[in-house]
Amino acid sequence: MSAAPRPEKPVGRFRRILDRLSDISASPERLESDELREETATSGCARIDTCGDREMVTVTGTLRTVTLRPRAGVPALEAELFDGTGSLDVVWLGRRSITGIEPGRRLIASGRVAMSHGRRTLFNPKYELRPLGRE
């Protein structure tokens, strides 16, 4: 009697979480990056590292930094959005603050990518704030 090889079962979300938690060599940053990459893949959004200049995109990720930085004498709220593969700057011109835009907040942003000073940038994007905590 021969034993047929069993087909490998698809790995579920719970199993992947357990695997990550059991990996003692994984840093918190790597774990967060893995989680963000997975969220990007399941949401249908573009990966930031694949976004090209002048391309219309929808991206998702976590805001790492939020700063008020004037551009040409006009107030501008700048944030760095990170999705686990790369980061891009999100800039709202003429705004000093936006309720809910703060470091650690997850969001989905849509707009045209521009290269500004060698970095991917979305100016005045459409955006959707994601709920705080686990989704």
Side-chain angles (χ1 to χ4, degrees), residues 48 51-55 71 87-89 112-123:
I48 290 176
C51 296
D53 192 23
R54 300 181 185 167
E55 184 179 340
R71 287 180 174 250
S87 64
L88 61 74
D89 294 332
R112 187 175 302 276
V113 175
M115 294 302 282
S116 177
H117 303 289
R119 290 189 45 88
R120 294 175 182 92
T121 307
L122 289 179
F123 288 98

Side-chain angles (χ1 to χ4, degrees), residues 86-108:
S87 64
L88 61 74
D89 294 332
V90 183
V91 179
W92 290 273
L93 298 170
R95 302 296 299 265
R96 294 184 188 281
S97 66
I98 298 174
T99 303
I101 300 296
E102 55 196 26
R105 187 68 185 255
R106 291 189 177 182
L107 66 86
I108 296 174

Side-chain angles (χ1 to χ4, degrees), residues 51-62:
C51 296
D53 192 23
R54 300 181 185 167
E55 184 179 340
M56 288 295 292
V57 297
T58 299
V59 293
T60 186
T62 300

Side-chain angles (χ1 to χ4, degrees), residues 14-46:
F14 183 69
R15 182 76 236 167
R16 287 191 303 268
I17 291 170
L18 284 177
D19 289 345
R20 283 189 211 134
L21 291 175
S22 66
D23 185 3
I24 59 173
S25 66
S27 68
E29 293 83 18
R30 193 177 120 218
L31 293 174
E32 181 185 8
S33 293
D34 292 345
E35 182 180 323
L36 288 170
R37 276 194 297 273
E38 183 178 318
E39 181 182 327
T40 299
T42 60
S43 69
C45 294

